[in-house]
Amino acid sequence: IKAKELDTDFSVGQESFVMDGDLVKISKSGNTLTAEKTIELTRAAAKIELTVNVNNLTINSETWEANTAGMKVSFFNGVKKGLIDDGSDVLNATVDHNGDYFDVKDRTFSSVESSTTQFKQSVPFYSYTTRWEANAEDEVYLKLSIPWKVTTADAEAYQTYYYLIPVNMDGKSLVRNSFYKITLDVKALGGQSDPITVNPSYVVLDWSTGEVNVNLSRPKYLVVDEHHYVINNETELEFLFHSSDECIITEATCTQTNLNTNTTSTISRNDKLSIL
């Protein structure tokens, strides 16, 4: 179950997330199943949020005023496919993307606590785990656009400038159940046709946790000791599992190698199992 691949549309706001936790001991008394300790659940996704501090700029004795109501931020190279149990190594755990990256365009901002200079994006971004090398094409980054108005002695002019914001400059990764809080102090105009790369300040936090009391009147569990088997010149395979319910294997596959022809073939089976 924890090896299940997830495919989520992170291009829209999320109200719920797939979560998992470590296996706990289950005791049975009559028809009642009881977990003997607290189950620590963590999200399979990561959260990214940008806060912008912006003031008027004075350049060559000219005043530039940001149209904060028109500011927008976009998210690039998010990952919409992942595994529930991705372990601690995001490099090995992330599913082969095969073009499953996604972008989110033009999220807006709202002021922070009635501030006139600090703004936080209205809806955060989310993504499954991923890792990239320095300057890699699949690097996760944000692009901020700010419309500016410049006032001169003769007239007013308007121009939109763009800023490229790294999501994680040190770790070069997104890790599950982590909250990437990024803050950018805008101290200069950006780029016009191409964004300029800026260095924000950021902190990476464990995503906020909370205790949820749940009465599991009918929990289900499945325990399998091994997940991968190698069969050499054998016609049968027996493996042990423990389950609260009848189980059905779906999409079970094996690869058969013919050493004479040095070819492989894939065999798929769907078999019903009984509880041991």
Side-chain angles (χ1 to χ4, degrees):
I1 294 175
K2 294 186 73 174
K4 178 178 176 59
E5 180 181 300
L6 304 174
D7 189 350
T8 303
D9 183 11
F10 282 131
S11 63
V12 297
Q14 302 294 305
E15 296 181 352
S16 60
F17 298 89
V18 173
M19 305 179 73
D20 71 304
D22 293 333
L23 179 68
V24 298
K25 184 176 180 180
I26 304 293
S27 62
K28 184 175 182 179
S29 176
N31 294 324
T32 302
L33 297 175
T34 304
E36 296 189 359
K37 71 171 186 177
T38 300
I39 303 174
E40 299 291 342
L41 297 177
T42 58
R43 300 171 184 83
K47 177 181 179 180
I48 304 96
E49 184 179 77
L50 174 65
T51 297
V52 178
N53 296 319
V54 57
N55 292 278
N56 291 348
L57 301 175
T58 301
I59 302 174
N60 297 328
S61 300
E62 298 175 344
T63 299
W64 292 76
E65 180 182 354
N67 175 14
T68 54
M71 290 194 309
K72 295 180 181 179
V73 61
S74 300
F75 180 64
F76 293 88
N77 291 336
V79 177
K80 66 178 181 179
K81 284 192 176 182
L83 298 177
I84 295 178
D85 181 17
D86 66 359
S88 59
D89 187 344
V90 296
L91 179 62
N92 294 328
T94 303
V95 174
D96 185 9
H97 300 156
N98 290 329
D100 294 321
Y101 295 105
F102 70 91
D103 303 331
V104 180
K105 301 294 182 63
D106 298 340
R107 288 270 167 87
T108 58
F109 290 83
S110 58
S111 59
V112 176
E113 297 179 353
S114 302
S115 172
T116 59
T117 60
Q118 187 175 68
F119 301 84
K120 182 172 66 176
Q121 66 181 91
S122 302
V123 179
F125 299 119
Y126 303 98
S127 171
Y128 288 126
T129 60
T130 185
R131 176 174 291 174
W132 57 91
E133 301 298 331
N135 302 317
E137 292 183 357
D138 55 355
E139 176 181 358
V140 178
Y141 65 93
L142 307 178
K143 186 169 76 171
L144 172 68
S145 65
I146 302 180
W148 290 92
K149 179 181 72 174
V150 58
T151 302
T152 66
D154 301 323
E156 294 178 344
Y158 301 85
Q159 180 65 53
T160 298
Y161 287 85
Y162 300 91
Y163 307 80
L164 192 151
I165 306 171
V167 168
N168 189 353
M169 294 182 291
D170 295 332
K172 302 293 184 183
S173 64
L174 290 179
V175 180
R176 62 169 293 159
N177 204 56
S178 296
F179 182 12
Y180 295 80
K181 299 186 67 174
I182 306 169
T183 301
L184 177 65
D185 294 325
V186 180
K187 299 179 179 180
L189 298 177
Q192 294 183 338
S193 58
D194 295 316
I196 63 168
T197 300
V198 292
N199 294 324
S201 62
Y202 63 92
V203 292
V204 183
L205 307 172
D206 286 337
W207 204 334
S208 60
T209 59
E211 183 175 332
V212 179
N213 295 319
V214 180
N215 180 17
L216 298 177
S217 59
R218 183 62 177 90
K220 298 182 180 181
Y221 62 87
L222 172 65
V223 180
V224 181
D225 292 334
E226 294 186 58
H227 301 274
H228 180 264
Y229 295 86
V230 177
I231 308 174
N232 294 317
N233 297 322
E234 299 178 38
T235 59
E236 295 183 356
L237 169 67
E238 180 180 292
F239 62 90
L240 299 179
F241 70 95
H242 302 277
S243 173
S244 60
D245 294 76
E246 185 176 87
C247 298
I248 298 176
I249 295 180
T250 59
E251 299 181 5
T253 62
C254 63
T255 301
Q256 177 178 324
T257 302
N258 188 327
L259 297 179
N260 294 326
T261 60
N262 196 28
T263 59
T264 60
S265 58
T266 300
I267 304 173
S268 298
R269 293 291 302 273
N270 289 305
D271 297 320
K272 179 170 288 190
L273 304 178
S274 298
I275 301 175
L276 295 179

